[in-house]
Amino acid sequence: MHTHDTNAAPLPDRLNEDWRFGRPHVHAQELAEALEHAQAAELRGIDLPSGVQLTSCAAELLPTIGSEALMQRALARVQFGHCLRVADGLQRREAITLHSEVHGVQVQQLRVIVGAGARLHLIEEHEYGEESTLVCLRRYELMPGATLRLEQRELGSENTRAFCISSCICAENARFCSLSTHQDLAWARHECTLEFTAPGAEALLLSANRLRSEQCLDMRNRQLHSSPGCKSRLLCKNTLTDRATAIFGGNIRVQPHAHDTDAYLSNLNLQLSPHATVHSLPMLEILADRVRCSHGSATAPVDAEQLFYLQSRGIPLAEARRTLEEAFLADVRLRFEQF
Amino acid sequence: MNGKTPVVPPQDARGDFSFPERHAYDAGYGLTEATIDYICDAKGEPDWLRDFRKRALTKFRDMPQPLHWAPQEIATLDFDKIRYYLAQGTPARKNWNDVPDDVKRTFERLGVPEQERAFLAGVDAQYDSETAYKNMREELAKKGVIFVNPTEGLSGYESLFRPWFGKVIPVGDNKYAALNHAAFSGGSFIYVPKGVKLAQPLQAYFRINSESMGQFERTLIIADEGAELMYMEGCTAPKYDTATLHSGVVELVALPGAKIQYVTVQNWATNVYNLVIQRGLAMRDAEIRWIDCNIGSGVTMKYPAVILQGERARGEVVSISIARDGQLQDTGARMIHAAPGTTSNIVAKSISIGHGRASYRGEVRVQPGATGCRNHTECDALLLHAESRTDTYPAITVHGDSTAVQHEASVSQVDEEMLFYMQQRGLTRAQAMSLAVNGFINDLVNEFPMEYSVELRRLIDMEMEDSIG
């Protein structure tokens, strides 16, 4: 077993602000118990082109957003993870898909290193078997001038849970774009930390989720501008029906001397049920002047005038609502395609 | 409005003077049961209130500091080094000439009597723990308006005061609410009867004169059905080397159709911890507006709140914060939508200068069943120097599919091109900067009474001259 001390950090509780509204006494507790029986997950179905290598590497700690204790517990279950390395200068437009099936409780660690000037489109797809849980620890390192387009697809089924911790570090002039989607998971928490360490880097973080029944999606994001002259954009869109819950926590932190930062964060929710709940926590921490930072959060029902317009053209109410729901989420994918 | 000195000049220097302490009552340092007995004996309070205060003291001791979310600066506050009750031992005077000379000189330097004559319906001047002077125009008394301190409120108007006392902000709400319930002294109790609309504002003036003082005033304002009033408060203190604590509790109750406007201009010295709880309860068709300006203090934590309890109630917070070197202005707003058709609006602007830090912390919550609600929140921050800091920490919770909630925040600095344009037309850099900063808060400054807005603009001019010139 791994040497990480599982008792070093306390489990998240109600005083943990990074878990605000996230019901840590239920979800963190259950996850910690599940992790006691976790196995390492396998990666398969990979046809790698030349210049891209998949090797095994030592599992390592990642920055979390309030979940250090869970990270330690996960690392106690895995000694090694996978490392995908893209050679310097490799230009590849076709996507590489990493597909895995999840059964029981599994921990997966993946490290992706995109070499200087390389370009990669990566799809990570997790297909969940019934009652399964995946703890996914991912680290992306973009070398100078590298570009990574990343799709993270969580394809859940009945009573499935996902807990993902992602960390992305962008070097000079690196470009990173991610699109995450969560489908049919009973509970999912996604923590993503993005750090710019050199000027000229740019990131676009996208997420589009259709939540239904009793689903709960807990997205936490931290953008750390440690270097001047970087640009980040985040757009998280959710539609909610039935008794679904969406939690969004986003933080743009501009470190001292990170001037000329340009950052925007947006969380938009379309409420389609009187019983659905949205919690939104968009935050800014700005420690340098000469920056342009802003955020927005909006939660609203379907526009009655738009519904009326579609109905007046003969589209039934249910279909009109579904059309507007699809239209609401559609531009997220469009932005990803355009990156 | 006149052009004379305002009651609260928003610059430190004007309030930074003190007179020797001559208190008949001094409860000493620290808060114990004996301190509470001392306060109750000094004020001649009934036994139920003594027990109430002691239960609050137990809660205060049991509750931790909210350090999991609050600024860490409050961890250094030593409650045992604060004096909890200092009073002259004389009842509040109604005639200005009867006020003790040193207290009178204090308020005359700050312009209280001129203001009262000029445009106030009534004034309450609190000196350390107790009210030194209180007066209200006779015609208002004839209409049934009550404007007294809480001790008089509890003894003389118990049937009006007691049902609402500690109901909007309960004793167990948080550590500082418990502290105020245990040690409260001074403040105002105002009752405006049904349908009475006050054309002129009522004013309270809070002055801390003594070193290591804790001021725990308590204000309860009840506007009965259809009543309207505006209340203004201002705060100053001299600067000492030791920490001073101001931990007031303000409860507003707007009964159906009533309107309350509460204006605060806070200009404490920079050794003051200003940890204030302000909350209003708005019933059906009622409206509560908090207009808040924080310029002084070392650490401020203040989040005016409105609980929109009745259908179609409306809440608004308009807030300006200026954080200079060594200051932390942690301000914001809370809107709790608990009834259908309620609406709220929050506009907060902050300016961080030098090493100053201004934070917006807010909560908007739409409860289940509160259908058709609307909220709009806007917070903008201006950073003037490379070392300045600003934060935004909003929390939004929406239940249901018939409510629209919008939040937007931005951080910016003064545009160099704008400065260049103005300098090209003959303004100095400091003048150009001052004009740009005044433009940033212009729409909010107009919400304040004329005297305050003029002084705010002057303060910004002075700041720009100091920091740029």
Side-chain angles (χ1 to χ4, degrees), chain B residues 278-334:
Chain B
Q278 299 182 324
R279 197 174 297 165
L281 191 61
M283 301 306 193
R284 180 171 42 81
D285 296 313
E287 181 182 315
I288 290 178
R289 291 186 86 211
W290 296 100
I291 298 171
D292 200 32
C293 179
N294 292 289
I295 299 164
S297 87
V299 177
T300 285
M301 281 172 66
K302 183 159 45 148
Y303 321 105
V306 184
I307 301 168
L308 300 150
Q309 187 78 31
E311 287 182 23
R312 298 178 300 281
R314 189 172 179 279
E316 184 165 5
V317 173
V318 173
S319 165
I320 298 175
S321 299
I322 300 176
R324 289 168 279 182
D325 274 338
Q327 285 186 299
L328 166 59
Q329 303 285 10
D330 200 274
T331 59
R334 292 179 72 204

Side-chain angles (χ1 to χ4, degrees), chain B residues 246-259:
Chain B
H246 174 248
S247 185
V249 160
V250 179
E251 295 173 293
L252 308 184
V253 180
L255 293 172
K259 283 185 184 174

Side-chain angles (χ1 to χ4, degrees), chain B residues 104-363:
Chain B
K104 194 156 64 181
R105 284 204 303 276
T106 299
F107 289 120
E108 276 172 350
R109 284 185 73 163
L110 295 159
V112 171
E114 290 94 331
Q115 285 296 303
E116 189 193 354
R117 280 194 293 272
F119 77 110
L120 296 175
V123 69
D124 168 342
Q126 179 165 338
Y127 193 80
D128 289 337
S129 294
E130 290 290 7
T131 303
Y133 171 69
K134 186 179 284 281
N135 196 17
M136 183 176 63
R137 296 203 170 166
E138 220 167 85
E139 63 267 26
L140 294 181
K142 282 181 189 161
K143 285 181 181 172
V145 177
I146 298 166
F147 183 28
V148 294
N149 67 42
T151 309
E152 287 175 67
L154 275 169
S155 57
Y157 307 95
E158 191 176 339
S159 62
L160 281 172
F161 190 107
R162 208 169 155 186
W164 291 108
F165 174 63
K167 293 296 186 294
V168 184
I169 301 170
V171 61
D173 196 83
N174 62 65
K175 190 175 181 72
Y176 292 93
L179 173 63
N180 185 282
H181 278 83
F184 79 89
S185 182
S188 303
F189 167 58
I190 296 169
Y191 171 77
V192 184
K194 275 184 190 176
V196 173
K197 296 177 182 183
L198 270 57
Q200 292 167 299
L202 295 168
Q203 167 108 31
Y205 183 75
F206 297 99
R207 170 73 181 175
I208 295 176
N209 186 65
S210 308
E211 195 167 3
S212 301
M213 173 63 199
Q215 192 173 68
F216 306 96
E217 97 278 359
R218 185 161 193 109
T219 296
L220 171 62
I221 299 176
I222 302 169
D224 212 328
E225 290 181 27
E228 288 181 18
L229 83 146
M230 184 191 216
Y231 182 85
M232 303 195 296
E233 65 170 14
C235 329
T236 64
K239 185 159 178 12
Y240 291 112
D241 292 334
T242 55
T244 302
L245 173 62
H246 174 248
S247 185
V249 160
V250 179
E251 295 173 293
L252 308 184
V253 180
L255 293 172
K259 283 185 184 174
I260 302 176
Q261 258 198 89
Y262 196 104
V263 183
T264 305
V265 177
Q266 178 270 109
N267 189 27
W268 294 118
T270 49
N271 62 320
V272 175
Y273 286 82
N274 182 44
L275 313 174
V276 182
I277 310 164
Q278 299 182 324
R279 197 174 297 165
L281 191 61
M283 301 306 193
R284 180 171 42 81
D285 296 313
E287 181 182 315
I288 290 178
R289 291 186 86 211
W290 296 100
I291 298 171
D292 200 32
C293 179
N294 292 289
I295 299 164
S297 87
V299 177
T300 285
M301 281 172 66
K302 183 159 45 148
Y303 321 105
V306 184
I307 301 168
L308 300 150
Q309 187 78 31
E311 287 182 23
R312 298 178 300 281
R314 189 172 179 279
E316 184 165 5
V317 173
V318 173
S319 165
I320 298 175
S321 299
I322 300 176
R324 289 168 279 182
D325 274 338
Q327 285 186 299
L328 166 59
Q329 303 285 10
D330 200 274
T331 59
R334 292 179 72 204
M335 291 290 171
I336 311 298
H337 292 257
T342 50
T343 54
S344 62
N345 191 34
I346 300 169
V347 187
K349 294 204 178 193
S350 68
I351 301 166
S352 304
I353 303 168
H355 286 87
R357 178 181 173 188
S359 301
Y360 169 84
R361 205 180 290 275
E363 181 181 11

Side-chain angles (χ1 to χ4, degrees), chain A residues 42-55:
Chain A
E42 289 298 315
L43 274 176
R44 63 172 188 79
I46 307 159
D47 183 17
L48 296 174
S50 67
V52 182
Q53 275 188 316
L54 186 67
T55 55

Side-chain angles (χ1 to χ4, degrees), chain B residues 81-101:
Chain B
K81 290 188 177 161
I82 299 287
R83 290 194 282 178
Y84 287 80
Y85 186 73
L86 289 171
Q88 303 260 352
T90 48
R93 306 307 210 285
K94 285 193 173 175
N95 189 324
W96 189 249
N97 294 326
D98 296 339
V99 175
D101 279 348

Side-chain angles (χ1 to χ4, degrees), chain A residues 36-305:
Chain A
E36 288 174 15
H37 314 288
Q39 305 287 322
E42 289 298 315
L43 274 176
R44 63 172 188 79
I46 307 159
D47 183 17
L48 296 174
S50 67
V52 182
Q53 275 188 316
L54 186 67
T55 55
S56 120
C57 63
E60 58 179 350
L61 280 170
L62 299 176
T64 70
I65 302 177
S67 303
E68 197 186 336
L70 291 167
M71 157 75 72
Q72 288 170 349
R73 280 165 169 79
L75 284 181
R77 310 301 304 177
V78 291
Q79 280 180 300
F80 296 100
H82 300 92
C83 179
L84 188 81
R85 193 180 290 270
V86 181
D88 289 354
L90 181 82
Q91 296 290 312
R92 188 176 164 84
R93 295 221 165 256
E94 300 78 30
I96 292 175
T97 303
L98 301 180
H99 178 90
S100 45
E101 288 173 8
V102 183
H103 301 286
V105 182
Q106 293 186 330
V107 179
Q108 187 184 81
Q109 167 126 9
L110 175 67
R111 184 176 178 189
V112 177
I113 302 168
V114 186
R119 181 184 174 91
L120 179 72
H121 180 185
L122 182 66
I123 299 172
E124 287 176 39
E125 198 169 72
H126 297 120
E127 199 174 331
Y128 292 72
E130 275 184 26
E131 314 257 333
S132 61
T133 299
L134 177 67
V135 175
C136 200
L137 313 174
R138 302 186 275 219
R139 181 185 176 90
Y140 307 98
E141 293 166 48
L142 276 67
M143 299 297 150
T147 300
L148 175 62
R149 294 173 71 231
L150 174 70
E151 280 184 76
Q152 296 168 321
R153 299 175 186 159
E154 306 298 331
L155 309 172
S157 62
E158 206 160 314
N159 286 331
T160 48
R161 289 180 297 192
F163 179 62
C164 303
I165 295 174
S166 301
S167 163
C168 178
I169 297 170
C170 294
E172 194 172 359
N173 295 325
R175 296 178 78 233
F176 175 68
C177 178
S178 70
L179 169 62
S180 68
T181 50
H182 300 78
Q183 275 180 32
D184 300 324
L185 287 146
W187 176 77
R189 180 174 165 103
H190 191 157
E191 296 178 11
C192 177
T193 307
L194 170 75
E195 184 174 6
F196 297 109
T197 57
E202 179 185 350
L204 173 62
L205 307 174
L206 302 164
S207 185
N209 306 286
R210 189 176 288 177
L211 305 173
R212 59 191 96 200
S213 63
E214 305 263 341
Q215 284 175 26
C216 174
L217 174 61
D218 186 353
M219 300 277 292
R220 309 281 167 159
N221 185 280
R222 185 168 289 162
Q223 294 164 49
L224 195 56
H225 286 260
S226 302
S227 168
C230 296
K231 178 180 173 182
S232 65
R233 293 283 181 274
L234 181 146
L235 174 63
C236 176
K237 281 191 170 188
N238 301 307
T239 62
L240 297 98
T241 49
D242 308 321
R243 293 186 173 274
T245 303
I247 305 161
F248 172 82
N251 187 356
I252 296 171
R253 186 178 170 95
V254 179
Q255 298 286 56
H257 311 300
H259 302 290
D260 302 313
T261 289
D262 181 359
Y264 182 68
L265 178 154
S266 174
N267 173 223
L268 305 176
N269 301 288
L270 188 65
Q271 285 268 39
L272 298 164
S273 160
H275 308 294
T277 303
V278 167
H279 302 283
S280 184
L281 299 147
M283 293 176 266
L284 297 172
E285 290 180 329
I286 314 296
L287 285 77
D289 69 341
R290 225 170 63 230
V291 298
R292 202 167 73 178
C293 296
S294 52
H295 67 217
S297 170
T299 301
V302 171
D303 187 337
E305 283 193 21

